[in-house]
Amino acid sequence: AEMLKRECPGAEENADDFDKDGRKSAKRGGGYATFMAGKWHVGSEYPPDASHEWVQNTMGDETHPTPTQRGFDKFYGTLGGGGSYYQPPSLVRDDGVVKEVMP
């Protein structure tokens, strides 16, 4: 937040919206809901060969934050950036792993 104040004059009123790591958390307000879709590259790595159970048990811990923990109301996407896009082990809807993607 301090860097934002120095580098972006006039942004002081929004500086408190940033967390301790400098990332902006999704904010709800004005009657809007928040939704994030796609690849989530925040936190530690999710191995491309991880099991669905490993992902379900690991996501949301201290080093693997999820979009819904960062303020999004809804999320659909992969928590990791690599691996199969046909049957990804880290495909998640909100806070649950999607195990069956293709029949």
Side-chain angles (χ1 to χ4, degrees):
E2 292 305 313
M3 185 178 84
L4 177 69
K5 291 177 183 178
R6 280 193 318 269
E7 303 297 324
C8 302
E12 293 86 4
E13 64 273 9
N14 295 319
D16 291 333
D17 289 344
F18 286 80
D19 64 18
K20 64 182 168 83
D21 297 322
R23 294 182 298 248
K24 187 164 180 75
S25 296
K27 299 293 180 185
R28 300 176 188 110
Y32 290 96
T34 58
F35 177 74
M36 193 270 182
K39 292 193 282 184
W40 179 254
H41 290 279
V42 178
S44 297
E45 188 61 37
Y46 288 84
D49 59 348
S51 68
H52 295 298
E53 289 75 26
W54 184 89
V55 173
Q56 184 69 58
N57 293 331
T58 304
M59 67 183 221
D61 71 12
E62 187 177 292
T63 60
H64 295 84
T66 63
T68 55
Q69 288 175 314
R70 288 295 202 174
F72 288 96
D73 294 310
K74 298 284 184 182
F75 170 68
Y76 186 81
T78 59
L79 296 173
S84 170
Y85 292 106
Y86 296 102
Q87 193 74 21
S90 65
L91 182 63
V92 171
R93 177 180 293 117
D94 299 327
D95 291 318
V97 172
V98 178
K99 293 184 179 181
E100 292 298 323
V101 178
M102 298 179 65

